[in-house]
Amino acid sequence: MNNELLSGSVGFIGAGALGTTLARGMQHAGYRVTAVASRTASSAERMAKGLDGCEAVQTPQDVAGRCDVVFLTVPDSAIQAVSNATRWRSDQVVVHCSGATSLSTLDSAKDVGALIGAFHPLQTFGGPDFSPQGFSHPKSGPDVLRDIAYAIEAESPLREGLESLANDLGGWPIALAAEDRVLYHASAIAACGLLATLVKLSADLWSDFSQSSDQGLRALLPLVRGTLDGIERRGFPDVLTGPAVRGDVGTVASHIEALAARAPGFQSIYGHLSLASLPIAQAKGGLGATEEEQLRELLVSSLQHTGTDK
């Protein structure tokens, strides 16, 4: 670690999955995490026990009073309230870790001369890992912070300090302008939470043909993993597969018919995603103009019948 700006004592306000994982990663990278406070004393104490030289303190003000650098890893809705209730110093660094929240929530720190910034690891944290044999312990070591992007919004010199932190954690920094934060976060949610929702809804379809959602999930997960691996290895458009790529209008029509009869709630999802896939299929080169037009007409017509074509 060679980061002069963040070389002082580091504190955390918020001891959830993100705060705990980031604190452990920073300590592993050579940063001095010395204090943590949380909404409940038990969670702060639990986090502090896993960090050498770190003390659980009672209030956010205790963290601010002891530390040169403070990370706010509280829920997005609490960032501004915590910041406003804390007396900051002009020689401090104050950073929130929200993906979408504006830096203006830290204006109370900025107004007294503190350096403020946002540092968002583009990763999901917490929750046990699922396997057919049951649940395992959540991933919370430094490895989960490696090989990921860190979205950073800050003015110089804090921007460079946070960029160094991203590199020290084994990831890479991406600079975000204030006006781009919400779109960035929407992208992340689509690729994570909405992807998980799509997999869940796809697995639920299995309950409509004498199977169970759990059986469907077990069967589909290798396919999902293979797809993600293909995205990483081959990229777009080469990874795209399915009847739209082949121009197989009949198969798509049969999908729509079956969904309309047996899973109408999923029909519009299928239709919108299939429409969105057509330009990718064209770029891959296997979809002719005639087939593309037929597929588009078929999909638009199916969405009109569901009332979701607007």
Side-chain angles (χ1 to χ4, degrees):
M1 188 270 288
N2 184 21
N3 190 341
E4 291 185 4
L5 192 62
L6 305 185
S7 63
S9 56
V10 178
F12 279 79
I13 300 174
L18 170 58
T20 299
T21 305
L22 183 57
R24 289 176 179 175
M26 290 183 67
Q27 186 172 86
H28 184 78
Y31 293 81
R32 295 192 301 116
V33 181
T34 61
V36 56
S38 192
R39 184 175 56 85
T40 61
S42 59
S43 60
E45 291 169 0
R46 185 166 53 248
M47 176 171 162
K49 285 180 180 178
L51 297 164
D52 294 335
C54 182
E55 182 181 356
V57 295
Q58 292 186 343
T59 68
Q61 188 61 56
D62 292 332
V63 176
R66 295 176 180 218
C67 298
D68 305 306
V69 181
V70 179
F71 284 84
L72 274 63
T73 50
V74 297
D76 292 5
S77 59
I79 292 173
Q80 186 163 19
V82 171
S83 179
N84 289 349
T86 304
R87 298 187 305 278
W88 304 107
R89 304 190 310 269
S90 61
D91 60 345
Q92 280 184 307
V93 171
V94 183
V95 179
H96 76 58
C97 294
S98 168
T101 304
S102 169
L103 274 187
S104 64
T105 55
L106 301 179
D107 277 351
S108 60
K110 182 179 180 180
D111 289 345
V112 299
L115 298 178
I116 65 169
F119 185 79
H120 181 251
L122 192 53
Q123 179 61 284
T124 182
F125 301 97
D129 294 329
F130 175 79
S131 72
Q133 291 75 37
F135 293 93
S136 63
H137 295 294
K139 296 179 181 178
S140 57
D143 284 349
V144 75
L145 297 171
R146 299 187 64 82
D147 301 318
I148 67 171
Y150 291 83
I152 292 167
E153 183 188 350
E155 295 182 359
S156 185
L158 180 55
R159 182 178 66 251
E160 290 81 4
L162 294 175
E163 288 172 350
S164 293
L165 173 59
N167 291 322
D168 289 340
L169 292 171
W172 71 92
I174 55 173
L176 277 187
E179 62 270 20
D180 297 332
R181 294 191 64 82
V182 174
L183 190 60
Y184 152 82
H185 196 246
S187 168
I189 294 303
C192 181
L194 297 186
L195 175 60
T197 300
L198 179 61
V199 173
K200 169 66 165 61
L201 294 175
S202 300
D204 287 349
L205 291 177
W206 286 58
S207 62
D208 289 318
F209 50 88
S210 302
Q211 302 289 326
S212 70
S213 295
D214 287 345
Q215 288 173 313
L217 182 60
R218 182 182 180 188
L220 291 172
L221 279 177
L223 183 64
V224 175
R225 294 190 188 101
T227 300
L228 293 176
D229 181 64
I231 291 172
E232 185 174 23
R233 289 188 296 108
R234 301 195 303 277
F236 293 103
D238 290 348
V239 71
L240 191 67
T241 62
V245 175
R246 302 188 298 269
D248 189 346
V249 180
T251 297
V252 174
S254 68
H255 290 174
I256 292 171
E257 182 179 358
L259 291 171
R262 303 177 65 178
F266 194 78
Q267 182 187 347
S268 62
I269 297 171
Y270 178 93
H272 282 294
L273 290 176
S274 296
L275 269 177
S277 75
L278 293 182
I280 308 173
Q282 279 189 315
K284 187 173 182 179
L287 179 61
T290 300
E291 290 81 4
E292 191 275 341
E293 183 178 355
Q294 291 174 339
L295 283 168
R296 187 174 298 278
E297 290 178 355
L298 173 65
L299 291 165
V300 169
S301 176
S302 74
L303 290 171
Q304 288 173 340
H305 282 91
T306 66
T308 62
D309 59 318
K310 297 179 180 180

